[in-house]
Amino acid sequence: MYYKNRKHMAEIKQLDIRNLLQNDTYLIPIYQRNFAWEREEIRQLLEDISQTKGNYYLGTLVVSKNNNNQFEIIDGQQRHTTLSIINAVLKNKGYDAVKSRNLIFEAREKSGKIIDNLLINKDSYQKTKSVSIEDRGIYNILRAAQDIEDFFIEKFPKRE
């Protein structure tokens, strides 16, 4: 994944997923929409990654560094959120995954807490799936986690 810092237009960096999820802090600003990726988009990403030999280009993450030393996401928040959810599911399936989230939702604190709950442990993950779905963003995150878990059960049944 690449990011471009608008304050320094020449600064373009290639990041692997672990670096993206582990280093720096990324902020999804208030004007960004709720997480909205559907099953088809998530499944396509997972299929593409699972079938790739070598590097896989995820797309561009456009950011601007703010006064709090955070990278405000201008473009790419759906991908970053999806990768954060995938990471949480993998962690709970016993894979070596990043242990905490570096993604802040400026106006949607519940979204961040849901991803935190997904990272904690399998019991918390199971409880999180039964949380009320009144908030569309929360519902979409929980649905995505279930879709990701279903994908791994289907593609890698022996890892259960």
Side-chain angles (χ1 to χ4, degrees):
M1 174 149 313
Y2 292 90
Y3 79 84
K4 182 186 283 188
N5 184 330
R6 286 196 172 179
K7 289 182 181 177
H8 304 98
M9 291 302 280
E11 187 179 346
I12 297 176
K13 230 174 156 178
Q14 182 175 350
L15 300 173
D16 63 30
I17 294 171
R18 181 171 287 280
N19 280 329
L20 175 70
L21 296 177
Q22 190 167 298
N23 300 325
D24 299 315
T25 301
Y26 294 87
L27 174 74
I28 297 177
I30 193 167
Y31 60 82
Q32 292 281 7
R33 65 186 173 132
N34 272 322
F35 177 70
W37 270 23
E38 299 285 334
R39 179 181 172 90
E40 294 76 31
E41 293 159 306
I42 293 166
R43 208 160 172 78
Q44 184 64 57
L45 175 63
L46 290 167
E47 286 285 350
D48 289 349
I49 292 170
S50 71
Q51 295 174 5
T52 299
K53 307 268 191 268
N55 293 336
Y56 175 73
Y57 177 70
L58 283 169
T60 303
L61 180 63
V62 180
V63 300
S64 177
K65 200 165 196 174
N66 66 21
N67 293 335
N68 295 325
N69 211 26
Q70 300 167 329
F71 288 99
E72 187 173 310
I73 299 176
I74 309 301
D75 184 45
Q77 71 102 342
Q78 299 291 317
R79 283 186 305 270
H80 195 306
T81 304
T82 302
L83 292 171
S84 295
I85 299 166
I86 292 168
N87 179 72
V89 171
L90 288 173
K91 180 183 173 292
N92 282 299
K93 294 185 109 11
Y95 288 89
D96 178 29
V98 176
K99 310 239 181 302
S100 63
R101 115 184 114 87
N102 68 347
L103 186 62
I104 297 171
F105 298 81
E106 185 175 46
R108 297 179 184 95
E109 188 177 323
K110 285 186 203 174
S111 295
K113 287 181 180 179
I114 289 296
I115 293 174
D116 286 343
N117 287 341
L118 293 172
L119 281 163
I120 292 171
N121 62 45
K122 189 69 171 173
D123 292 334
S124 175
Y125 178 62
Q126 295 301 327
K127 289 176 193 170
T128 301
K129 286 195 261 184
S130 65
V131 169
S132 171
I133 59 172
E134 295 169 3
D135 181 324
R136 192 67 181 164
I138 302 287
Y139 171 77
N140 290 344
I141 289 171
L142 296 175
R143 190 199 65 238
Q146 185 63 58
D147 291 342
I148 292 162
E149 184 173 325
D150 292 347
F151 175 87
F152 282 102
I153 290 170
E154 176 188 314
K155 293 290 185 179
F156 310 104
K158 292 182 174 88
R159 186 67 177 176
E160 284 302 300

